[in-house]
Amino acid sequence: MEQKPLNVQTVSIESLVPYWRNPRKNEVAVEKVKASIAEFGYQTPIIVDKEMVIITGHTRYRALKELGYTEIPVIIADLPQKKAKEFRIIDNRTSEYATWTNDLALELKEFSSPDFLDIFFPDIKLDPDFLKSGDGKQDNIDQVAADLEKKFEAFSLDRENEPKITIPCPHCAESITLLKRDILNEKNWN
């Protein structure tokens, strides 16, 4: 299927219409999304159809309204009504198949605020020393990894046997070796 360029337009938030039969309950998630938007800004546009009916982003819509946004960029999808209905369900469902790896423990260690972590991971308690340590203590990493594995059905990856690639750094041209799966996570390739 050929991908058309995204149709991104800034519109009045009042022009958006929540789908009348949205199959997701999102009341609990609104406060968490508000915290995320307050911290990082509005980074993931709501997707609407040509009549401005929300396809995906009902929780973001409610959070943005409660935060007082009046105009926001949206993606206007060029989908037939039947496909928009299907995408509404599939987009929400696909995230439920993802699981966490133990790398999450290392990522959480680098968060700037343990209080902010409590909003999104209230069931995972990190030792404050774990967050302060620049390189993390192995026993703390192992404990958090074990907690994550138990809570989120995470799994450990054997990084030594993962496929790697050596490429020139886009900034200094020196050779760098990355795990192939980490290439997609790199943000500064321009």
Side-chain angles (χ1 to χ4, degrees), residues 49-84:
D49 66 16
K50 293 173 188 170
E51 277 75 46
M52 295 295 167
V53 176
I54 298 172
I55 298 173
T56 66
H58 286 85
T59 308
R60 274 170 280 154
Y61 166 77
R62 287 187 56 188
L64 291 163
K65 281 195 74 141
E66 289 183 21
L67 287 169
Y69 280 67
T70 57
E71 290 192 333
I72 57 168
V74 298
I75 296 172
I76 301 174
D78 185 18
L79 291 172
Q81 188 176 13
K82 182 174 174 44
K83 287 292 184 189

Coordinates of all heavy atoms in Angstrom, one line a residue, residues 49-84:
D49 N -10.9 11.9 11.2 CA -11.4 11.7 9.8 C -11.7 13.0 9.2 O -11.5 14.1 9.8 CB -12.5 10.7 9.7 CG -13.8 11.2 10.4 OD1 -14.0 12.4 10.6 OD2 -14.7 10.4 10.6
K50 N -12.2 13.0 8.0 CA -12.4 14.3 7.3 C -13.5 15.1 7.9 O -13.6 16.3 7.7 CB -12.8 14.0 5.8 CG -11.6 13.4 5.0 CD -12.1 13.0 3.6 CE -10.9 12.2 3.0 NZ -11.4 11.6 1.7
E51 N -14.4 14.5 8.7 CA -15.4 15.3 9.5 C -15.0 15.7 10.9 O -15.8 16.1 11.7 CB -16.7 14.4 9.5 CG -17.6 14.5 8.3 CD -17.0 13.7 7.1 OE1 -16.6 12.5 7.4 OE2 -16.9 14.2 6.0
M52 N -13.7 15.5 11.1 CA -13.1 15.8 12.4 C -13.5 14.9 13.6 O -13.4 15.2 14.7 CB -13.3 17.3 12.8 CG -12.7 18.3 11.9 SD -10.9 18.1 12.0 CE -10.4 19.0 10.6
V53 N -14.0 13.7 13.2 CA -14.4 12.7 14.3 C -13.1 12.0 14.7 O -12.3 11.6 13.8 CB -15.4 11.7 13.7 CG1 -15.6 10.6 14.8 CG2 -16.7 12.4 13.4
I54 N -12.8 11.9 15.9 CA -11.6 11.3 16.4 C -11.5 9.8 16.1 O -12.4 9.1 16.4 CB -11.4 11.5 17.9 CG1 -11.4 13.0 18.3 CG2 -10.2 10.8 18.5 CD1 -11.4 13.3 19.8
I55 N -10.4 9.4 15.5 CA -10.2 8.0 15.2 C -9.3 7.5 16.3 O -9.7 6.5 17.0 CB -9.4 7.8 13.8 CG1 -10.3 8.3 12.7 CG2 -9.1 6.3 13.7 CD1 -9.7 8.3 11.3
T56 N -8.2 8.1 16.6 CA -7.3 7.7 17.7 C -6.9 9.0 18.5 O -6.7 10.0 17.9 CB -6.0 7.0 17.3 OG1 -5.2 7.8 16.6 CG2 -6.4 5.7 16.5
G57 N -6.9 8.9 19.8 CA -6.5 10.1 20.6 C -7.6 10.6 21.5 O -7.5 11.8 21.9
H58 N -8.6 9.8 21.9 CA -9.6 10.3 22.7 C -9.1 10.7 24.1 O -9.5 11.8 24.7 CB -10.7 9.2 22.9 CG -11.6 9.1 21.7 ND1 -11.2 8.3 20.7 CD2 -12.8 9.6 21.4 CE1 -12.2 8.3 19.8 NE2 -13.1 9.2 20.2
T59 N -8.1 10.0 24.6 CA -7.6 10.4 25.9 C -6.8 11.7 25.8 O -6.9 12.5 26.7 CB -6.7 9.2 26.5 OG1 -7.4 8.0 26.5 CG2 -6.2 9.5 27.9
R60 N -6.0 11.8 24.8 CA -5.2 13.0 24.6 C -6.2 14.2 24.4 O -5.9 15.3 24.9 CB -4.3 12.9 23.3 CG -3.0 12.3 23.6 CD -2.2 11.9 22.4 NE -2.8 10.7 21.9 CZ -2.8 10.3 20.7 NH1 -2.2 11.0 19.7 NH2 -3.3 9.1 20.3
Y61 N -7.3 14.0 23.7 CA -8.3 15.0 23.5 C -8.8 15.5 24.8 O -8.8 16.8 25.1 CB -9.4 14.5 22.6 CG -10.6 15.3 22.6 CD1 -10.7 16.5 21.8 CD2 -11.8 15.0 23.3 CE1 -11.9 17.3 21.8 CE2 -12.9 15.7 23.3 CZ -13.0 16.9 22.5 OH -14.1 17.6 22.5
R62 N -9.2 14.6 25.7 CA -9.7 15.0 27.0 C -8.6 15.7 27.8 O -8.9 16.7 28.5 CB -10.3 13.8 27.7 CG -11.6 13.3 27.1 CD -12.2 12.2 27.9 NE -12.4 12.7 29.3 CZ -12.8 11.8 30.3 NH1 -13.1 10.6 30.0 NH2 -13.0 12.3 31.5
A63 N -7.4 15.2 27.8 CA -6.3 15.8 28.6 C -6.0 17.2 28.1 O -5.9 18.1 28.9 CB -5.1 14.9 28.5
L64 N -6.0 17.4 26.8 CA -5.7 18.7 26.2 C -6.8 19.7 26.5 O -6.5 20.9 26.8 CB -5.5 18.6 24.7 CG -4.3 17.9 24.2 CD1 -4.4 17.4 22.7 CD2 -3.0 18.7 24.4
K65 N -8.0 19.3 26.5 CA -9.1 20.2 26.8 C -9.0 20.6 28.3 O -9.2 21.8 28.6 CB -10.5 19.5 26.6 CG -10.9 19.5 25.1 CD -12.3 19.2 24.9 CE -13.2 20.3 25.4 NZ -14.3 20.6 24.6
E66 N -8.7 19.6 29.2 CA -8.6 19.9 30.6 C -7.4 20.8 30.9 O -7.4 21.6 31.8 CB -8.5 18.7 31.4 CG -9.9 17.9 31.5 CD -9.8 16.7 32.3 OE1 -9.0 16.6 33.2 OE2 -10.7 15.8 32.1
L67 N -6.3 20.7 30.0 CA -5.2 21.6 30.2 C -5.4 23.0 29.6 O -4.5 23.8 29.7 CB -3.9 20.9 29.6 CG -3.4 19.7 30.3 CD1 -2.4 19.0 29.5 CD2 -2.8 20.2 31.7
G68 N -6.5 23.2 28.9 CA -6.8 24.5 28.3 C -6.3 24.8 26.9 O -6.3 25.9 26.5
Y69 N -5.9 23.7 26.2 CA -5.5 23.9 24.8 C -6.7 24.4 24.0 O -7.8 23.9 24.2 CB -4.9 22.6 24.2 CG -3.5 22.3 24.6 CD1 -3.1 22.0 25.9 CD2 -2.5 22.4 23.7 CE1 -1.8 21.7 26.3 CE2 -1.1 22.1 24.0 CZ -0.8 21.8 25.3 OH 0.5 21.5 25.6
T70 N -6.4 25.3 23.1 CA -7.5 25.8 22.2 C -7.3 25.4 20.8 O -8.3 25.2 20.0 CB -7.7 27.3 22.3 OG1 -6.5 27.9 22.0 CG2 -8.1 27.7 23.7
E71 N -6.1 25.3 20.3 CA -5.7 24.9 19.0 C -4.6 23.8 19.1 O -3.7 24.0 19.8 CB -5.3 26.0 18.1 CG -6.4 27.0 17.8 CD -5.9 28.0 16.7 OE1 -4.7 28.3 16.6 OE2 -6.8 28.5 16.0
I72 N -4.8 22.8 18.2 CA -3.8 21.7 18.2 C -3.6 21.2 16.8 O -4.5 21.2 16.0 CB -4.2 20.5 19.1 CG1 -5.6 20.0 18.7 CG2 -4.2 20.9 20.6 CD1 -5.9 18.7 19.3
P73 N -2.4 20.7 16.5 CA -2.2 20.0 15.2 C -2.9 18.6 15.3 O -2.8 18.0 16.3 CB -0.7 19.9 15.1 CG -0.1 20.5 16.3 CD -1.1 20.9 17.2
V74 N -3.5 18.2 14.3 CA -4.1 16.9 14.1 C -3.7 16.3 12.8 O -3.3 17.0 11.9 CB -5.6 16.9 14.2 CG1 -6.1 17.4 15.6 CG2 -6.3 17.7 13.1
I75 N -3.8 15.0 12.7 CA -3.6 14.3 11.4 C -5.0 14.0 10.9 O -5.7 13.3 11.6 CB -2.7 13.0 11.6 CG1 -1.3 13.4 12.1 CG2 -2.7 12.3 10.3 CD1 -0.5 12.2 12.4
I76 N -5.3 14.5 9.7 CA -6.5 14.2 9.1 C -6.3 13.0 8.2 O -5.6 13.1 7.1 CB -7.1 15.4 8.3 CG1 -7.3 16.5 9.3 CG2 -8.4 15.0 7.6 CD1 -7.7 17.8 8.6
A77 N -6.8 11.8 8.6 CA -6.6 10.6 7.9 C -7.5 10.5 6.6 O -8.7 10.9 6.7 CB -6.9 9.4 8.8
D78 N -7.0 9.9 5.6 CA -7.8 9.7 4.4 C -8.1 8.2 4.3 O -7.6 7.4 3.6 CB -6.9 10.1 3.1 CG -7.7 10.0 1.8 OD1 -9.0 10.0 1.9 OD2 -7.1 9.9 0.8
L79 N -9.1 7.9 5.2 CA -9.5 6.5 5.3 C -11.0 6.4 5.1 O -11.8 7.3 5.6 CB -9.2 5.9 6.7 CG -7.8 5.7 7.1 CD1 -7.7 5.4 8.6 CD2 -7.2 4.6 6.3
P80 N -11.5 5.4 4.4 CA -12.9 5.2 4.3 C -13.5 4.9 5.8 O -12.7 4.5 6.6 CB -13.1 3.9 3.5 CG -11.8 3.7 2.8 CD -10.7 4.4 3.7
Q81 N -14.7 5.2 6.0 CA -15.3 5.1 7.3 C -15.1 3.7 7.9 O -14.8 3.6 9.1 CB -16.8 5.4 7.3 CG -17.4 5.5 8.6 CD -18.9 5.9 8.6 OE1 -19.5 6.0 7.5 NE2 -19.4 6.3 9.7
K82 N -15.3 2.7 7.2 CA -15.1 1.3 7.7 C -13.7 1.1 8.1 O -13.4 0.5 9.2 CB -15.5 0.3 6.6 CG -15.4 -1.2 7.1 CD -15.9 -2.1 6.0 CE -15.7 -3.6 6.3 NZ -16.0 -4.1 7.6
K83 N -12.7 1.5 7.4 CA -11.3 1.4 7.7 C -11.0 2.2 9.0 O -10.2 1.8 9.8 CB -10.4 1.8 6.6 CG -10.3 0.8 5.5 CD -9.6 -0.5 5.9 CE -9.5 -1.5 4.8 NZ -9.1 -2.8 5.3
A84 N -11.5 3.4 9.1 CA -11.3 4.3 10.3 C -11.8 3.6 11.5 O -11.2 3.6 12.6 CB -12.0 5.6 10.1

